[in-house]
Amino acid sequence: TQLLEQSPQFLSIQEGENLTVYCNSSSVFSSLQWYRQEPGEGPVLLVTVVTGGEVKKLKRLTFQFGDARKDSSLHITAAQPGDTGLYLCAGVERAGNMLTFGGGTRLMVKP
Amino acid sequence: DAGITQSPRHKVTETGTPVTLRCHQTENHRYMYWYRQDPGHGLRLIHYSYGVKDTDKGEVSDGYSVSRSKTEDFLLTLESATSSQTSVYFCAISESRRLQGAWTEAFFGQGTRLTVV
């Protein structure tokens, strides 16, 4: 069992649809990060959420950190084919040192 | 782009042989990490370093060792490669442990594809 559980693992949708990806844990995190990875490349940071309940927006992407700082969600509005990729959440436990990742959500947006 | 170079980018090796992967950074970041990426598992932490000669195990450290003798270099060694170690290996760097309560961004190399036959 991974420290950070992501769901769903795979998501295939049509252009224009909305979607939500979840990142859950039983541990408390000082912050959570979301990364996006494209084939053949390393992950690239999208956002860091720090405060419980925090909401951050990045164009059509909305990120939320749970009130208890144990979970986070990523919502994409009106998905575009360019949103296709692997989305990863990552975090460090409150008293920890290791940056650990969830299993990822592979998103495919069809035109 | 952050200055991270992984070498080699691709390697095929035989079971039982030793293999060393190198990660080199030009950013002077304190933290360096080695991850492996396999289908369905996201990124799993192998080992990490929080300073020169300061390293610690991650969640999948068995069969791997690391060394960091200089700030800029972090080496990952497979003492005796096995087929289960066939994977894509990523190195990442991070500037500091916490900045205003948050972890700073981790920058990744382009990965090393290792095949053990």
Coordinates of all heavy atoms in Angstrom, one line a residue, chain A residues 12 17 32 40 46-48 50 52 57 65 67 71 75-77 80 84-85 88-89 95 98 101 105 107-108:
Chain A
S12 N -10.1 8.2 -19.5 CA -10.2 8.5 -20.9 C -11.5 9.3 -21.1 O -12.5 8.8 -20.9 CB -10.1 7.3 -21.8 OG -10.2 7.6 -23.1
E17 N -15.0 17.8 -21.6 CA -15.6 17.2 -20.4 C -14.8 17.7 -19.2 O -13.6 18.2 -19.3 CB -15.5 15.7 -20.4 CG -16.5 15.1 -21.4 CD -16.5 13.6 -21.4 OE1 -15.8 13.0 -20.5 OE2 -17.2 13.0 -22.2
L32 N 1.4 19.4 -0.1 CA 1.2 18.4 -1.2 C 1.5 19.1 -2.5 O 1.2 20.3 -2.7 CB -0.2 17.8 -1.2 CG -0.4 16.6 -0.3 CD1 -1.9 16.2 -0.5 CD2 0.5 15.5 -0.6
G40 N 8.6 10.1 -21.9 CA 10.0 10.4 -22.1 C 10.6 11.5 -21.3 O 11.8 11.8 -21.5
L46 N 3.3 21.4 -11.1 CA 2.2 22.2 -11.5 C 1.9 23.2 -10.3 O 1.7 24.4 -10.6 CB 0.9 21.4 -11.7 CG 1.0 20.5 -13.0 CD1 -0.3 19.6 -13.0 CD2 1.1 21.3 -14.2
V47 N 1.8 22.7 -9.1 CA 1.4 23.5 -8.0 C 1.8 22.9 -6.7 O 2.0 21.7 -6.6 CB -0.2 23.7 -8.0 CG1 -0.9 22.5 -7.5 CG2 -0.6 24.9 -7.2
T48 N 1.9 23.7 -5.6 CA 2.1 23.3 -4.3 C 1.0 23.9 -3.4 O 0.8 25.1 -3.5 CB 3.5 23.7 -3.7 OG1 4.5 23.2 -4.5 CG2 3.7 23.2 -2.3
V50 N -0.3 24.3 0.6 CA 0.3 24.3 1.9 C -0.7 24.3 3.1 O -0.6 23.6 4.0 CB 1.2 25.5 2.0 CG1 1.9 25.5 3.4 CG2 2.3 25.5 0.9
G52 N -4.3 23.9 5.0 CA -5.5 23.0 4.9 C -6.7 23.9 4.4 O -6.9 25.0 4.8
K57 N -5.8 27.9 -8.3 CA -6.2 27.7 -9.7 C -5.1 28.0 -10.7 O -4.3 29.0 -10.5 CB -7.4 28.6 -10.0 CG -8.7 28.2 -9.3 CD -9.9 28.9 -9.8 CE -11.2 28.4 -9.1 NZ -12.4 29.0 -9.6
F65 N -6.5 21.4 -1.3 CA -5.9 20.7 -0.2 C -6.9 20.4 0.9 O -7.6 21.4 1.3 CB -4.7 21.5 0.4 CG -3.7 20.7 1.2 CD1 -3.6 19.3 1.2 CD2 -2.7 21.4 1.9 CE1 -2.7 18.6 1.9 CE2 -1.7 20.7 2.6 CZ -1.7 19.3 2.6
D67 N -8.9 19.9 4.4 CA -8.9 20.6 5.6 C -7.9 20.0 6.6 O -7.2 20.7 7.4 CB -10.2 20.7 6.3 CG -11.2 21.6 5.5 OD1 -10.7 22.4 4.7 OD2 -12.4 21.5 5.7
D71 N -5.3 14.9 2.2 CA -5.8 14.6 0.8 C -5.8 15.9 0.0 O -5.8 17.0 0.5 CB -7.2 13.9 0.9 CG -8.2 14.8 1.6 OD1 -8.7 15.7 1.0 OD2 -8.4 14.6 2.8
H75 N -9.0 19.3 -10.2 CA -10.2 19.3 -11.1 C -9.8 20.0 -12.4 O -9.2 21.1 -12.3 CB -11.4 20.0 -10.4 CG -12.6 20.1 -11.2 ND1 -13.5 19.1 -11.3 CD2 -13.1 21.1 -12.0 CE1 -14.5 19.4 -12.1 NE2 -14.3 20.6 -12.5
I76 N -10.1 19.4 -13.5 CA -9.9 20.1 -14.8 C -11.2 20.4 -15.4 O -12.1 19.5 -15.6 CB -9.0 19.2 -15.7 CG1 -7.7 18.9 -15.0 CG2 -8.8 19.9 -17.1 CD1 -6.8 18.0 -15.9
T77 N -11.4 21.6 -15.8 CA -12.6 22.1 -16.5 C -12.4 22.1 -18.0 O -11.4 22.6 -18.4 CB -13.0 23.5 -16.0 OG1 -13.2 23.4 -14.6 CG2 -14.3 23.9 -16.6
Q80 N -8.8 19.6 -22.5 CA -8.3 19.7 -23.9 C -7.3 18.6 -24.2 O -6.7 18.0 -23.2 CB -7.5 21.0 -24.0 CG -8.3 22.3 -23.7 CD -9.5 22.5 -24.7 OE1 -9.3 22.4 -25.9 NE2 -10.7 22.7 -24.1
T84 N -3.6 15.8 -21.8 CA -3.2 14.4 -21.8 C -1.8 14.3 -21.1 O -0.9 15.0 -21.4 CB -3.1 13.8 -23.2 OG1 -4.5 13.8 -23.7 CG2 -2.6 12.4 -23.2
G85 N -1.7 13.3 -20.2 CA -0.5 13.0 -19.5 C -0.7 12.3 -18.2 O -1.8 11.8 -17.9
L88 N 0.6 13.3 -11.1 CA 1.2 12.7 -9.9 C 1.1 13.6 -8.8 O 1.4 14.8 -8.9 CB 2.7 12.4 -10.1 CG 3.0 11.3 -11.2 CD1 4.4 11.6 -11.7 CD2 2.9 9.9 -10.6
C89 N 0.6 13.1 -7.6 CA 0.6 13.9 -6.4 C 1.9 13.5 -5.6 O 2.3 12.3 -5.7 CB -0.6 13.8 -5.6 SG -1.0 12.2 -4.9
A95 N 6.5 15.2 9.7 CA 7.7 15.1 10.5 C 8.8 14.4 9.6 O 9.8 14.0 10.2 CB 7.5 14.4 11.8
M98 N 11.2 12.5 3.4 CA 11.2 11.8 2.1 C 10.0 12.4 1.2 O 8.9 12.5 1.7 CB 10.9 10.3 2.2 CG 12.0 9.6 3.0 SD 11.8 7.8 2.8 CE 10.2 7.6 3.6
F101 N 5.6 9.8 -3.8 CA 4.6 10.1 -4.9 C 3.5 9.1 -4.8 O 3.7 7.9 -4.4 CB 5.3 10.0 -6.2 CG 6.1 11.2 -6.6 CD1 7.4 11.4 -6.1 CD2 5.6 12.1 -7.5 CE1 8.1 12.5 -6.4 CE2 6.3 13.2 -7.8 CZ 7.6 13.4 -7.3
T105 N -2.3 9.2 -12.1 CA -3.5 9.1 -12.9 C -3.1 9.4 -14.3 O -2.6 10.5 -14.6 CB -4.6 10.1 -12.4 OG1 -5.0 9.7 -11.1 CG2 -5.8 10.0 -13.4
L107 N -4.2 10.3 -17.8 CA -5.3 11.0 -18.4 C -5.1 11.0 -19.9 O -4.1 11.4 -20.4 CB -5.5 12.4 -17.9 CG -6.5 13.3 -18.6 CD1 -7.9 12.7 -18.4 CD2 -6.4 14.7 -18.1
M108 N -6.2 10.6 -20.6 CA -6.2 10.8 -22.1 C -7.4 11.6 -22.5 O -8.5 11.2 -22.1 CB -6.2 9.5 -22.8 CG -6.3 9.6 -24.3 SD -6.2 8.0 -25.2 CE -4.4 7.7 -24.9

